[in-house]
Amino acid sequence: MSDSPAPLALEHTPGLQHHFADMEQQRNASSLGMWIFLGTEIMFFGGMFLAYLVYRMWYFNEFAAGSRTLNLPIGAVNTAVLICSSLTVALSVRAAQLGKRMLLVTLLVLTILFGLVFLGVKAYEWNEKFTEHHVPGYSFHFKQESTEKPVDQGRAQIFFSLYFAMTGMHALHMIIGVGIFGVITWMAWRGRFTPEYHTPVEIAGLYWHFVDIVWIYLFPLLYLIDRRPHG
Amino acid sequence: MATAVSIAAEREHYLNKEYGIRSWLLTTDHKRIALLYLASITFFFFIGGFFALLIRLELLTPAGDLVQADTYNKLFTMHGVIMVFFFLIPAVPAVLGNFLVPLMIGARDLAFPKINLLSWYCYIAGGILVLHAMLTGGLDTGWTFYTPFSTAFSNTAVVEAGLGVFINGFSSILTGLNFIVTIHRMRAPGLTWSRLPLFLWSHYATSVIMLLGTPVIAITLVLVVLERAFHLGIFDPTRGGDPLLFQHLFWFYSHPAVYIMILPSMGVVSEIVTCFSRKRVFGYYFVAMASIGIAVIGFFVWAHHMFVAGMSLYAALIFSILSYLVAVPSAIKVFNWTATLYKGSVSFSTPMLYAFGFIGLFTMGGLTGLFLAALGIDVHVTDTYFVVAHFHYIMVGGTVMGYLGGMHYWWPKISGRLYPESWGRLAALIVFLGFNLTFFPQFILGYLGMPRRYWQYPPEFQVLNVLSTAGSTILAVGYLLPMVYFLWSMRYGKLADDNPWNAAGLEWKTTSPPPTFNFEETPVVTWEAYNYNELPALEEVRVER
Ligand SMILES: [Cu+2]
């Protein structure tokens, strides 16, 4: 909090914007801003999680059947890729604090690569859904296995509607994240960050971790509804 | 005095620092962004008002003669969408809040000036999409976008309008984000939470709602757009989807949105009432906490919009009780404003007239809200003009009165000029009379059973409808007047000195208009809010000059 009187004419610290009294105030404001923004993101995804909860309770049979058609090994690999990217993000914040520029750039590039691998795999999975006619709409057809309880086509579409909406929104956040990290990498490459000033790395990292956590919830909710052998 | 004023005219301030279109469109100065918002919400206000007048014109006669049913549906939809999302929600926060939050806390700008500018561009982008949708196919879903009509049946530009409202939502989120961070992190030394002006408390509460509510309507509209464009089935009853889920999600935002509209105006009224009765506001903590209370309880009452839509009786009972409960903090505010007037030296300047208008009309709107929160009466008046009258008393009688009061109160600070006081009072009177003539008959119409959203009606309702239409033309004059004399005063108005109302508050401690970075020196606050007992009295003469 700004309890000390702020001198107006201060020598310009690099990275300090004119309307802040000092670096600490600026840093606090930026990270508070990102935390609040992530709060709004929880509400944003929350709408879909609510819809998921309601329909999963009503149509558990269709949700379980739909879930079994998702590609579990690939989804698990993708989860691992994303967790690795969170590790590189955490390390990159450390590298920024220590002022190790090349290490920082390397870790940021690795993060972007992990993010792109995740998106590529996701695209592959989506494409699978298209060929299997699991995309909601006129051509939707859910072919059920003989051992399953009868699956209602409409309700199955609701599962896949939520699947596409939720993973789609998550992927969109990933794309934005990759874009942000592109900018951060460029700034790091140009040597804009110092041990005193690296707030952008930190708050971009917060965003990245958040998007990861969303996936950590999405993966079991979508892929692991009921994997027990049935019959 | 005269010399001080003439110096002020040549002094550099935020308005004359730079000229040219670029200096406005790329500005990061919160005061200039406030003026960008002012111009754009005024534009949308008159478009929305134009639709309102067409609606009233159609309802002059019982027969559907001016427009056809389909056109009428588009008229009230576009009126609602534009007025709610592009005028009422941004009006006070994005214009007055943007201008005043940094000034009131002694900061040089909002915490994130570029994000502030981005919020305006989100508003404009959303506005352009909605205007384009309006011109190419229109929108006939009502501002509520109810499914499955909006997703499966409407033949209008739902996707485009939905996206427009979605993008505009970011302007709300970014504004709220900026306010909260600024109020937390940028307060001048000595400005503790218990010294904050109530305007800031109410904007803090508003920002909380913007941040927690807006993302929910955002995702809801995304799902509607996806359902319409790509045949997702989340709200589609033919596939087992539930339209009631849409209604829950929609009202989870749209009820608290009413508080996004009314809370900032309440903050304005708190400032005006205490200034023009020259007394410290009665029960400061109660008024401040009432804002927070409204924001919190306001999130748990949404289903009172759905009493007839299908819901368990017990759920309905709980939502009914909670809706009664949210009236308590609102009532606390009204009582405290009234108590502030008691034994104050009250002057009836234009801002005060609007504040009085606000208190009276908001009280009526609030009390009729209790009718609607009562399960039995709600069944009788659901979807009638009673509801229409109720929420117009809150939104127009409340929000717009507060907005206009605030515009008059801070106009000297914003423009550095005084508006003509007698014209101001006249306009306030016209607005008040026109408003009541427009909307009071609608209470009676609704109670007698006239449903909303129909383009024709049985002949026995005509007298009251004629009164309402007559009132709307008077109201239109009342709204045009301030626009005319504000514009006039920018050139010909008398120069304002730094504190023409002898008001408390940091915004009056800097020059009028303020310099780009607001204060020559960061102020240090050593006094409580509204220390009017220590300030000189406000002579009527000063106001009249
Ligand atoms: Cu409500």
Side-chain angles (χ1 to χ4, degrees), chain A residues 1-2 5 8 18-20 25 28-29 33 36-37 40 43-44 55 58-59 136 138 154-155 157-158 161 169, chain B residues 108 110-113 177 180-181 184-187 189 211-212 215 219 222 231-234 239-242 517 520:
Chain A
M1 204 63 43
S2 47
L8 257 188
H18 66 80
H19 59 293
F20 288 111
Q25 190 188 32
N28 283 338
I36 292 173
F37 178 72
T40 72
M43 297 306 287
F44 184 80
Y55 290 128
W58 286 353
Y59 309 140
Y138 302 120
R155 295 169 179 187
Q157 281 194 59
I158 293 196
S161 294
M169 271 303 148
Chain B
R108 271 167 272 175
L110 287 171
F112 310 116
L177 183 89
I180 292 218
V181 175
H184 267 282
R185 294 281 184 242
M186 314 270 292
R187 301 195 309 278
L211 289 169
L212 295 180
I219 187 63
V222 167
H231 305 286
L232 263 59
I234 293 169
R239 286 180 271 181
D242 190 356
F517 296 131
E520 299 299 328

Side-chain angles (χ1 to χ4, degrees), chain B residues 442-482:
Chain B
Q442 297 185 4
F443 277 126
I444 306 171
L445 279 171
Y447 216 80
L448 293 176
M450 178 166 161
R452 65 192 284 203
R453 293 181 168 176
Y454 281 82
W455 85 118
Q456 54 185 14
Y457 55 84
E460 62 261 35
F461 292 140
Q462 190 173 10
V463 175
L464 289 165
N465 270 301
V466 169
L467 286 179
S468 180
T469 301
S472 67
T473 56
I474 298 175
L475 192 55
V477 173
Y479 285 148
L480 279 170
L481 270 177

Side-chain angles (χ1 to χ4, degrees), chain A residues 46-62:
Chain A
M48 285 185 293
F49 278 105
L50 175 78
Y52 172 91
L53 185 72
V54 170
Y55 290 128
R56 176 180 160 147
M57 277 171 64
W58 286 353
Y59 309 140
F60 183 80
N61 181 38
E62 284 76 11

Side-chain angles (χ1 to χ4, degrees), chain B residues 325-383:
Chain B
L325 214 62
V326 79
V328 174
S330 307
I332 288 176
K333 286 188 179 240
V334 170
F335 287 127
N336 282 348
W337 292 324
T338 317
T340 309
L341 297 171
Y342 180 67
K343 286 192 172 166
S345 57
V346 177
S347 55
F348 296 91
S349 311
T350 311
M352 192 61 155
L353 293 182
Y354 280 109
F356 280 135
F358 176 100
I359 297 174
L361 300 179
F362 172 74
T363 304
M364 279 198 55
L367 288 176
T368 49
L370 293 179
F371 286 52
L372 295 162
L375 291 177
I377 302 176
D378 183 69
V379 172
H380 176 60
V381 292
T382 286
D383 275 342

